[in-house]
Amino acid sequence: MTEEEDRKPRSDEARYDPEITSEFALPAGIAVPEAGVEPETTSEFVVPKGLATPQPAAGEPEGSAFSVPRTFSSHDTAFTPASGFPAVSLVKDAPWQDRMRTMLRMPVTERPAPETVQKTEDDGPAVPRVLDLTLRIGELLLAGGEGAEDVEAAMFAVCRSYGLDRCEPGVTFTLLAISYQPSLVDDPVTASRTVRRRGTDYTRLAAVFRLVDDLTDPEAHVSLEEAYRRLAEIRRNRHPYPGWALTGASGLLAGAASVLVGGDFLVFVAAAIGAMLGDRLAWLCAGRGLPEFYQFMIAAMPPAAIGVAFALAHVDVKASAVVTGGLFALLPGRALVAGVQDGLTGFYITAAARLLEVMYFFVGIVIGVLTVLYFGVKLGGRLNPDAALIGSARPLLQIAASMVLSLTFAVLLQQERSTVLAVTLNGGVAWCVYGAMHYAGEISPVASTAAAAGLVGLFGQLLSRYRFASALPYTTAAIGPLLPGSATYFGLLSMAQNDVDKGLVSLAKAASLAMAIAIGVNLGSEISRLGLRVGSARKRRAAKRTRGF
């Protein structure tokens, strides 16, 4: 059958032909509807019979989504709630971290437009180069241990400083991504970068914060070329402290921690020697490409071995204080605080990855110490897990030891010399609060630790806002005296002596103290932000506004 014959309408006899087996054929006795009475289309969008067709607005085609509704009045506020949207104007003299964090917590439709555009060309900024610069800055911040929310705020600030207001940064543990859409009808431009290496250098972190601060300053016009040049200088800068200074700082940290828990001068020297041996062994393993898990495991063995040697030699010293001091130099307090902070601010994937990293480091420390303690117990070493470390109150000596511990911790974190004094005083204040609440007030150690850590976070945020810098250099080293070294040691010792139940209880106490530190630091930081006037909106946006539902 040809196409023309197929188009011809069939006769009524053909329609009622019984040989036609199509299920769409009209049965006998059914009248054929007359053409033109009702349209053959059965679309649900057909206007029902008796309903008047609405007339389209002037200048818009019929059925356009942009046509003005018939019930619209020009005197009413168009397409807004009854209360309207509050106009948000950010305070210009507020730190850029708080301004960008406030904007990231807003819906995209409510964000104010960028006020300052640092153009590099006549036609505007080069979008791919701006996105590349943003990713490189975010990589340095994330690799330095900065929280995911602060990294997103910095990336958002860099993009907006060059006029890219329709950008959305994304941060996970190892991946940075950013997307920019010029308009609603243009295709978005997306770029990503993987963070493969991490290092602790708070001096470099502070330099990156100064660069972002200059980019967001309306009076400082930094071009893309200048920003790239400064970023290259930051990458090429050497660490402020050499390797031998870091090894000596780890020894002083372990010695100060042993005095903090009741050790004398001999214990101080033994703990310092053990920590320095562990640090050198870890450096040797790192040079051979051994993963960090084994580095922590090997670094934990020398302090534990010296403590067991004292116990086997029946020397009248507190061997437990030697091992505890060595643990203080290894506990990953920085990664723990960053992981809990990411979880509290809504970055659950990054928080889970950071906490998993902390767990691996902790397991490495446990294996190293537990192996040495097991052989020490088998050889007849008298290590008592029920012994109290601090036999007498020594408040002045403990305060001095806590300040030395914070100072050496700051050196290990490669902080700027201008921040060492502030973080040292912050660590001393933290121990004063903890000692007053726990030893004098007989309050539980978890509550005392949380209160002291909250004060550390509060002071750290205030100092960072005063200097327009990151809060990590002012908080991370100050929590060193609060780390649960003694609870971790006694838990491992109980497990080495086949008292698993008591060991698990002690390790659970150590985990509770660690969580109290992290939550306290984050709570203190949030309390410090409550008094900051960032914008004129009615309320400050939270990281999540659904309350978990």
Side-chain angles (χ1 to χ4, degrees), residues 300 304 323-324 327 330-331 361-375 377 383-385 484-500 502-508 510:
V323 184
T324 301
L327 290 177
L330 295 175
L331 292 178
F361 291 163
F362 188 76
V363 170
I365 296 171
V366 166
I367 293 176
V369 176
L370 198 59
T371 301
V372 175
L373 292 180
Y374 179 79
F375 283 105
V377 171
L383 299 171
N384 185 12
S486 59
T488 303
Y489 164 71
F490 285 130
L492 298 179
L493 181 58
S494 298
M495 296 180 68
Q497 294 179 347
N498 294 326
D499 195 350
V500 180
K502 185 180 294 185
L504 292 178
V505 170
S506 185
L507 290 180

Side-chain angles (χ1 to χ4, degrees), residues 241-250 411-412:
Y241 305 102
W244 62 267
L246 298 180
T247 301
S250 63
V411 173
L412 289 176

Side-chain angles (χ1 to χ4, degrees), residues 175-497:
L175 182 65
L176 296 170
I178 189 165
S179 177
Y180 169 70
Q181 189 173 14
S183 65
L184 294 176
V185 296
D186 293 330
D187 295 332
V189 181
T190 304
S192 62
R193 194 173 183 88
T194 303
V195 180
R196 303 188 184 277
R197 297 192 63 181
R198 299 176 183 274
T200 304
D201 190 344
Y202 282 178
T203 301
R204 179 179 298 175
L205 193 69
V208 176
F209 263 76
R210 284 193 294 268
L211 174 59
V212 179
D213 185 47
D214 291 339
L215 290 175
T216 56
D217 189 359
E219 298 180 356
H221 299 281
V222 182
S223 63
L224 274 175
E225 289 74 14
E226 177 67 17
Y228 269 109
R229 185 189 64 79
R230 292 180 57 179
L231 192 63
E233 289 180 356
I234 293 173
R235 286 180 174 274
R236 289 194 301 263
N237 283 346
R238 299 177 61 87
H239 298 303
Y241 305 102
W244 62 267
L246 298 180
T247 301
S250 63
L252 288 177
L253 190 153
S258 64
V259 174
L260 194 66
V261 294
D264 52 12
F265 179 74
L266 182 59
V267 171
F268 176 90
V269 175
I273 293 175
M276 287 188 290
L277 288 176
D279 181 78
R280 285 291 92 189
L281 289 176
W283 276 95
L284 180 62
C285 295
R288 298 299 178 90
L290 206 62
E292 285 186 305
F293 175 84
Y294 301 104
Q295 296 177 27
F296 274 84
M297 182 180 69
I298 294 174
M301 288 183 175
I306 292 178
V308 170
F310 279 147
L312 292 175
H314 303 287
V315 180
D316 189 15
V317 296
K318 292 184 178 180
S320 301
V322 177
V323 184
T324 301
L327 290 177
F328 266 87
L330 295 175
L331 292 178
R334 174 183 59 87
L336 175 67
V337 172
V340 174
Q341 181 179 355
D342 288 340
L344 295 176
T345 52
F347 295 84
Y348 300 116
I349 297 178
T350 308
R354 288 185 189 271
L355 294 178
L356 185 62
E357 181 186 38
V358 171
M359 187 192 72
Y360 273 107
F361 291 163
F362 188 76
V363 170
I365 296 171
V366 166
I367 293 176
V369 176
L370 198 59
T371 301
V372 175
L373 292 180
Y374 179 79
F375 283 105
V377 171
K378 290 298 182 180
L379 293 176
R382 297 180 181 179
L383 299 171
N384 185 12
D386 297 326
L389 284 178
I390 300 179
S392 59
R394 303 179 299 175
L396 296 179
L397 185 59
Q398 293 170 14
I399 292 174
S402 65
M403 296 178 68
V404 172
L405 194 153
S406 299
L407 187 148
T408 53
F409 204 172
V411 173
L412 289 176
L413 294 174
Q414 300 280 0
Q415 291 189 196
E416 292 181 306
R417 291 178 175 84
S418 60
T419 64
V420 172
L421 179 60
V423 74
T424 301
L425 296 176
N426 201 6
V429 171
W431 181 259
C432 290
V433 173
Y434 174 80
M437 294 181 64
H438 179 56
Y439 297 114
E442 297 182 354
I443 302 176
S444 67
V446 176
S448 303
T449 301
L455 199 61
V456 168
L458 177 62
F459 287 167
Q461 284 292 334
L462 293 178
L463 288 172
S464 67
R465 292 309 182 267
Y466 174 73
R467 296 193 176 185
F468 291 87
S470 172
L472 289 181
Y474 300 99
T475 58
T476 305
I479 64 172
L482 304 176
L483 293 176
S486 59
T488 303
Y489 164 71
F490 285 130
L492 298 179
L493 181 58
S494 298
M495 296 180 68
Q497 294 179 347

Side-chain angles (χ1 to χ4, degrees), residues 473-548:
Y474 300 99
T475 58
T476 305
I479 64 172
L482 304 176
L483 293 176
S486 59
T488 303
Y489 164 71
F490 285 130
L492 298 179
L493 181 58
S494 298
M495 296 180 68
Q497 294 179 347
N498 294 326
D499 195 350
V500 180
D501 294 336
K502 185 180 294 185
L504 292 178
V505 170
S506 185
L507 290 180
K509 178 182 177 182
S512 301
L513 293 173
M515 292 297 294
I517 292 172
I519 295 175
V521 170
N522 182 263
L523 181 60
S525 302
E526 293 296 329
I527 291 175
S528 68
R529 296 193 186 106
L530 292 178
L532 295 175
R533 183 175 177 270
V534 180
S536 61
R538 296 185 178 180
K539 59 182 179 180
R540 177 176 176 267
R541 302 289 184 179
K544 282 189 172 291
R545 293 174 289 167
T546 58
R547 298 183 181 178

